[in-house]
Amino acid sequence: MFGYKDYVKWKLLSEVIDNMTDEERAALFHTSKADRNHSEIMEALQDQREQISRVSSKVEKQSWLTDFASDIAANFTTDGIIWLASRLLRR
């Protein structure tokens, strides 16, 4: 709920805004919009930083054996696809 202090702040701000010229209101609007854009950008950067740290931790946990096995599996799959394609194209 709103208290007395919140009401006083609201009343003061509304009086200040009412006494502003159109140019001052536009400047206030652009400033508040820039602040919102800045905070959105900072939030996106924080999300990206968290995603990078998760990926980094997964990469650090991966051993050379897992990496080697995935390379072998990829080579086997690629060779199988090439062999199957060559058999289908011969017909």
Side-chain angles (χ1 to χ4, degrees), residues 1-11:
M1 294 304 303
F2 293 108
Y4 176 73
K5 289 182 180 181
D6 295 327
Y7 175 75
V8 170
K9 287 179 187 178
W10 174 79
K11 190 67 174 167

Side-chain angles (χ1 to χ4, degrees), residues 35-85:
D35 288 343
R36 273 185 266 135
N37 289 341
H38 176 73
S39 63
E40 289 174 1
I41 290 170
M42 294 307 290
E43 288 175 12
L45 286 173
Q46 181 62 29
D47 291 343
Q48 189 177 38
R49 205 175 285 131
E50 290 170 2
Q51 291 173 353
I52 289 172
S53 67
R54 281 195 301 260
V55 169
S56 175
S57 67
K58 286 182 181 182
V59 168
E60 288 174 359
K61 290 179 183 177
Q62 192 174 12
S63 68
W64 70 270
L65 184 59
T66 306
D67 195 31
F68 183 69
S70 68
D71 286 344
I72 290 174
N75 289 338
F76 179 74
T77 304
T78 304
D79 290 344
I81 291 171
I82 292 172
W83 178 81
L84 183 61

